[in-house]
Amino acid sequence: MPELPEAENIGRALKRALVERRIVKVEVFTPAMREPLTPLLSAGLEGCRIIDVRRRARYVVVELDDGRGLLMHFGMSGVVRVESPEVPRRKHEHVFLHLDDGRAFRFECTRRFSVLKVCELPRPGGWPSELDALGVEPLTDAFNGNYLYEKSRGRTGCVKNFIMNNEIVVGIGNIYATETLYASEVSPLRETGSVTREECSRIAECAKRILARAIELGGTSISDFLNVDGSEGKFALELAVYGRKGQACPKCGERIEMRKLGGRSSCFCPVCQK
């Protein structure tokens, strides 16, 4: 967490707030999150103009006018804000990038699993090499039932872990994989290679619909996630099975079960999902 819808909403908000702004000062209050933060101080960011902000998987790239970018990932608890630097610094805010309009980009992460670093971009509008191994974006035409079916042939392991594999398709984390498989009536326990072409089509269609709806509602706030403006994602109100162990299935009334798959809790209906 955040997953793709949350990262998409963060990226869109940052694009509105940051494009055409110049960085005038960098402050680092913590040596490192997942990776060191102190290199930001000597990276020569002062004077750089921000020309674009875009998302890839759960990453957001802030493109600068000198051919570099700021690559960020929000880990489990990353929150970013663009607001006055006069607002007292919160305990777990680790970086301020002061802007030429008097505001500051502020990065907060309680658990310090997030990433904020300078990266090289191969061309304008390109992506850093750190993202080369990522799979297709789920909201593009490249992600469809035929693609999933071909990728699933001969694979062992459960289908839930398969659709959460970022080398196959990006950004479908635990919440949206759980909801997608429930909507497509496929058990998360199924062996990947046993899923039919028709089921793959349902999975792809349901994933697109659920992710698009989650983006529309600002994502899902379960634990630490907040949007750039401090608001919570409203998709949590529409979750059908995620986090609902022991409750009644919305379709058939059977009790929702939970299993651990790949170290993550997986809720499903044993009747509706086969």
Side-chain angles (χ1 to χ4, degrees), residues 7-152:
E8 178 68 21
N9 275 282
I10 291 170
R12 291 180 182 183
L14 290 181
K15 185 165 187 170
R16 292 191 294 269
L18 297 182
V19 169
E20 297 304 326
R21 298 273 62 86
R22 287 189 184 272
I23 299 169
V24 298
K25 180 182 176 182
V26 178
E27 288 188 288
V28 172
F29 306 103
T30 307
M33 292 191 290
R34 190 192 309 175
E35 297 187 25
L37 291 170
T38 50
L40 294 170
L41 294 171
S42 58
L45 296 175
E46 294 85 352
C48 289
R49 181 169 58 90
I50 296 166
I51 61 174
D52 193 20
V53 181
R54 54 187 179 273
R55 178 196 59 78
R56 175 79 167 105
R58 298 184 222 184
Y59 292 87
V60 169
V61 171
V62 176
E63 184 172 353
L64 307 175
D65 64 353
D66 65 356
R68 298 182 298 169
L70 292 169
L71 179 65
M72 61 185 79
H73 188 285
F74 308 101
M76 298 176 67
S77 58
V79 175
V80 294
R81 301 175 179 87
V82 180
E83 62 183 6
S84 170
E86 300 302 317
V87 175
R89 184 172 74 88
R90 298 163 183 88
K91 179 179 179 181
H92 298 289
E93 284 186 320
H94 306 305
V95 177
F96 282 13
L97 301 180
H98 294 263
L99 307 170
D100 62 357
D101 65 354
R103 297 180 299 166
F105 167 86
R106 304 162 60 135
F107 203 120
E108 177 184 19
C109 186
T110 303
R111 305 185 193 185
R112 300 192 189 182
F113 292 155
S114 297
V115 171
L116 176 62
K117 66 179 182 179
V118 177
C119 62
E120 297 292 332
L121 300 179
R123 60 189 178 279
W127 301 103
S129 60
E130 291 94 328
L131 308 187
D132 285 348
L134 293 175
V136 301
E137 288 281 340
L139 295 176
T140 64
D141 291 341
F143 180 66
N144 54 48
N146 288 334
Y147 170 83
L148 271 186
Y149 183 75
E150 295 301 324
K151 290 291 185 180
S152 68

Side-chain angles (χ1 to χ4, degrees), residues 224-246:
D224 301 297
F225 173 69
L226 296 173
N227 282 300
V228 174
D229 63 0
S231 64
E232 294 187 346
K234 302 300 190 294
F235 189 71
L237 301 175
E238 297 192 4
L239 294 173
V241 288
Y242 178 85
R244 301 190 184 280
K245 176 186 175 183

